[in-house]
Amino acid sequence: MVWCREEKKGVIFDLDGVLVDSSEFHFKAWQIWAARHNTTMTYEFFRETFGMVNDNIIPHLLRRELTKEELKALSDEKEAIFREVARGKIKPLEGAVELVMGLKKAGFELAIGSSTPKKNIEVVLESIGLAEVFHVRVGAEDVSRGKPDPEVFLKAAELIGVRPERCVVIEDAVAGIKAAKNAGMKAIAVTTTHPRERLAEADIIVERIADVTVDMIEELLNQR
């Protein structure tokens, strides 16, 4: 693959738990889905697997092997439920929009790198007014391996034309932080869905996305 000039810099955002806190909508969607399939999604299991792809979650819930076609149908069903319960109710986390617009003004290339389907990404970005900012969106259907595999972030970096070492990932999930580090990128963790001690691999850990600044990201990229 061919990368653009080294001075380009990028920030790749996870979606859920970073730009928005959609966890309550996902948990509700999983509960509805689980009830339809005679199983249970506990809050503990939900928190543990939040940020992982559905293909890794569904077999655990149903306790059986599934064909690729079955997995896709079941995953599509769950995500359709999510969009139904979340549409029009998603709000940006405090400071999220301001950070994104500040990074854009500072010349950063921006992308979404999420385990969620692109239809979900579209609904969320439109709801929070950032659809025109994030033209690069890598979702579940764009990768064959979920986080902690680095594929999602490497693909996002390639699409924005920025080398991995010049990218910062902002994540809230343990698997996402691992994926960022596996990609050779800097990582900022937000403790939206996991406690600080679980996110210790990150270069920087903050309590809120509002605590992240453009200068912080610039300084992180300048570290050797």
Side-chain angles (χ1 to χ4, degrees):
M1 60 185 66
V2 178
W3 302 100
C4 293
R5 295 177 300 171
E6 185 175 356
E7 63 266 21
K8 289 187 73 175
K9 53 197 178 182
V11 178
I12 305 171
F13 289 83
D14 181 43
L15 190 67
D16 296 323
V18 175
L19 293 178
V20 298
D21 184 2
S22 61
S23 58
E24 66 173 291
F25 301 108
H26 277 290
F27 183 47
K28 184 176 180 180
W30 274 120
Q31 287 184 306
I32 294 170
W33 181 94
R36 290 181 183 177
H37 296 280
N38 300 312
T39 186
T40 303
M41 168 62 87
T42 67
Y43 188 70
E44 291 73 22
F45 186 70
F46 170 74
R47 289 307 240 187
E48 184 65 28
T49 58
F50 193 62
M52 294 184 183
V53 294
N54 293 345
D55 286 4
N56 292 339
I57 299 171
I58 291 171
H60 284 282
L61 291 174
L62 297 182
R63 295 182 177 85
R64 63 183 177 91
E65 292 187 7
L66 298 159
T67 67
K68 190 174 182 179
E69 291 73 22
E70 285 177 312
L71 274 174
K72 184 179 187 309
L74 291 166
S75 179
D76 288 349
E77 179 188 359
K78 181 267 167 181
E79 297 309 328
I81 296 169
F82 166 77
R83 290 190 292 274
E84 288 175 12
V85 300
R87 192 181 300 275
K89 299 176 184 176
I90 294 283
K91 303 294 182 184
L93 287 170
E94 180 184 356
V97 173
E98 292 81 0
L99 175 62
V100 170
M101 300 310 294
L103 288 167
K104 182 181 179 183
K105 184 176 180 180
F108 281 83
E109 303 292 335
L110 304 177
I112 297 291
S114 174
S115 300
T116 200
K118 279 188 169 179
K119 286 183 180 179
N120 292 18
I121 296 173
E122 181 179 343
V123 166
V124 171
L125 292 180
E126 287 179 353
S127 296
I128 64 176
L130 292 178
E132 295 303 314
V133 178
F134 287 102
H135 297 292
V136 172
R137 310 164 185 178
V138 182
E141 56 268 71
D142 298 312
V143 298
S144 58
R145 300 176 300 278
K147 304 171 187 178
D149 189 276
E151 183 182 8
V152 62
F153 294 137
L154 290 173
K155 183 161 286 190
E158 183 175 10
L159 289 172
I160 59 175
V162 182
R163 296 203 285 184
E165 59 267 33
R166 295 290 293 164
C167 289
V168 173
V169 170
I170 304 181
E171 261 281 0
D172 69 303
V174 177
I177 294 298
K178 288 182 180 295
K181 303 309 289 184
N182 288 338
M185 301 177 181
K186 299 290 187 180
I188 297 176
V190 186
T191 60
T192 313
T193 56
H194 294 281
R196 176 177 290 265
E197 56 269 22
R198 294 288 309 280
L199 302 166
E201 277 193 71
D203 297 282
I204 296 174
I205 304 173
V206 297
E207 299 299 319
R208 308 172 304 146
I209 191 69
D211 296 329
V212 182
T213 66
V214 175
D215 287 344
M216 178 190 294
I217 293 173
E218 293 270 18
E219 290 173 11
L220 185 57
L221 280 176
N222 288 333
Q223 291 178 7
R224 296 297 180 186

